[in-house]
């Protein structure tokens, strides 16, 4: 404010807007001296004003430059490691594994569509938006909070908020924050592929759980809004768009959430070794500290993890995604350990580290190959031959497709596609960063509203179309098909590279 007032005063003076005043009576000599002084000022005032104007400009430019430098320094300042540091909030929110909310993951290859190329086909596979805890977890969290209230009278300094905290989270449903994520995602898809979306509507499927169906519907709202806002789109809009729902029922072939491999279901309970080892390494000190601050609660290591879970779930229960107080109970390093704990669970439970996880994703990959090539589906695993054999329920002539599923099922599909084949097995005795894991972590791969884009494009100078895949805006260089510097393969080479899916994975081992 002081600087602004000074600037205005100086600018007024430079412009000749000096204050008016009434001369007091005086003797003639004094009056004559004043006239001589005024004459000198009149002769030199133009030069004086010009010099002062230059000085003022230099001052403003210098101040503005300094302010920009300071603001830039603030925005790029690294996280100090303390959770209360505002520079750490983003890092914390991106360290919750599958409970993180989707964001544009760092990519060594530009995710932009190459200038010399035109996208001719786009498929999105998307996880539902942010939700409340699952039913059994929500009950466990509520019971834990009740027990703390019943047993603790002396709360530690940072834990005092728990005394008045009321557990009000629901179960399994999308939060308002999650609904908006999906609307935003529909807008994003339209904007990215608007050359196709202006004239073509996507064919949409959703796995049958309520939050997945609602996510698909919210996504269509965003797509529809973007089309209405596009002044270059003149195609009659058929909103609301039809969503084909695939039931999540025993015995129903559903490639978006398969449940037809008994051996896989059994093996999920035998894949926790590395995750258990990590818990033993990092969680006991946290449990000890939490119990010191909640005397009488006697939390177990599992319940300490529940306390950490309450951070992301209370955050996404806030319509604006404001960080919950639970998030400040742990350090940034501890959140990175938590993120790795979740990554181990996804890797060995459903991804490359699972003996039959990749086989679960084979059916969807074979459907994708059919869409990319315009040829009928060839598969004997989880596909539904009745649906996939009908033009109305599995068209092959569309250019835009949108499917909606769950994080675990997307992990299976990533593994079937071989997206993380360069990632070494994750160790349970030390933390491996996403960069060290060649782009894999649960928060990078399957956060709330995670999205996989599969693009087919024609490019100048090439006779064959290219295929490219992005996970949360990170280009995943394709494997075993001669990928170029942009991570792409020709369509024919990509189809050849998917021999694992085309041969049915290890489906024969599902019933051993």
């Amino acid at each position: 404010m002081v600087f602004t007032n000074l600037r205005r005063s100086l600018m007024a003076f430079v412009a000749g807007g000096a204050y008016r005043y009434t001369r007091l009576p005086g003797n003639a000599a004094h009056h004559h001296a004043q006239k001589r002084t005024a004459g000198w000022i009149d002769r030199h005032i133009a030069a004086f004003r010009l010099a002062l104007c230059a000085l003022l400009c230099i001052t403003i430019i210098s101040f503005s430059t300094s302010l920009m430098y300071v603001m830039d320094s603030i925005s790029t300042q690294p996280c100090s490691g303390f959770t209360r540091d505002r520079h750490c909030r983003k890092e914390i929110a991106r360290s919750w594994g599958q409970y993180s909310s989707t964001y544009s993951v760092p990519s060594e290859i530009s995710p932009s569509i190459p200038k010399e190329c035109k996208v001719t086909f786009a498929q999105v596979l998307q996880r539902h938006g942010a939700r409340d805890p699952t039913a059994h977890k929500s009950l466990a969290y509520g019971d834990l909070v009740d027990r703390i209230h019943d047993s603790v009278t002396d709360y530690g300094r940072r834990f005092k908020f728990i005394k008045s905290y009321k557990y009000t989270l629901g179960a399994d449903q999308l939060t308002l924050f999650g609904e908006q994520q999906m609307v935003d995602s529909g807008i994003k898809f339209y904007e990215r592929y608007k050359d196709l979306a202006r004239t073509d509507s996507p064919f949409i499927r959703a796995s049958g759980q309520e939050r997945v169906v609602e996510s698909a519907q919210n996504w269509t709202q965003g797509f529809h809004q973007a089309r209405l806002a596009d002044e270059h789109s003149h195609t009659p809009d058929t909103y609301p768009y039809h969503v084909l729902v695939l039931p999540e029922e025993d015995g129903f072939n559903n490639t978006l959430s398969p449940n037809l491999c008994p051996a896989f279901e059994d093996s999920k309970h035998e894949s926790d070794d590395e995750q258990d080892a990590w818990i033993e390494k990092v969680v006991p000190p946290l449990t000890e500290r939490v119990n010191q601050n909640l005397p009488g609660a006697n939390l177990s290591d599992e319940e300490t993890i529940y306390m950490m879970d309450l951070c992301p779930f209370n955050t996404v229960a806030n319509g604006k995604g404001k960080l919950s107080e639970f998030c400040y109970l742990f350090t940034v390093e501890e959140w990175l350990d938590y993120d790795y704990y979740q990554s181990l669970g996804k890797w060995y439970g459903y991804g490359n580290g699972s003996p039959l996880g990749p086989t679960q994703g084979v059916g969807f990959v074979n459907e994708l190959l059919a869409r990319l090539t315009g040829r009928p589906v060839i598969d004997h695993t989880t596909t539904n031959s009745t649906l996939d054999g009908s033009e109305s329920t599995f068209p092959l002539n569309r250019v835009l497709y949108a499917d909606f599923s769950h994080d675990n099922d997307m992990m299976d599909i990533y593994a079937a596609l071989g997206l993380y084949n360069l990632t070494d097995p994750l160790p349970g005795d030390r933390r491996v960063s996403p960069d060290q894991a060649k782009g894999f972590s649960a928060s990078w791969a399957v956060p709330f509203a995670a999205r996989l884009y599969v693009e087919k494009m024609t490019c100048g100078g090439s006779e064959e179309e290219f295929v490219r895949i992005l996970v949360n805006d990170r280009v995943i260089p394709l494997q075993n098909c001669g990928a170029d510097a942009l991570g792409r393969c020709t369509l024919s080479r990509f189809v050849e590279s998917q021999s694992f899916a085309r041969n049915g994975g290890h489906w024969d081992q599902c019933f051993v």
Side-chain angles (χ1 to χ4, degrees), residues 16 19 42 127 172 174 180 244 329 357 359 383 395:
Y19 292 106
D42 288 340
R127 185 189 178 192
D172 292 309
L174 286 183
Q180 188 60 50
L244 178 65
L329 300 180
T359 296
T383 52

Side-chain angles (χ1 to χ4, degrees), residues 247-253 259-260:
E248 294 186 14
E249 300 174 356
D250 289 342
F252 189 91
N253 288 34
N259 185 25
L260 298 172

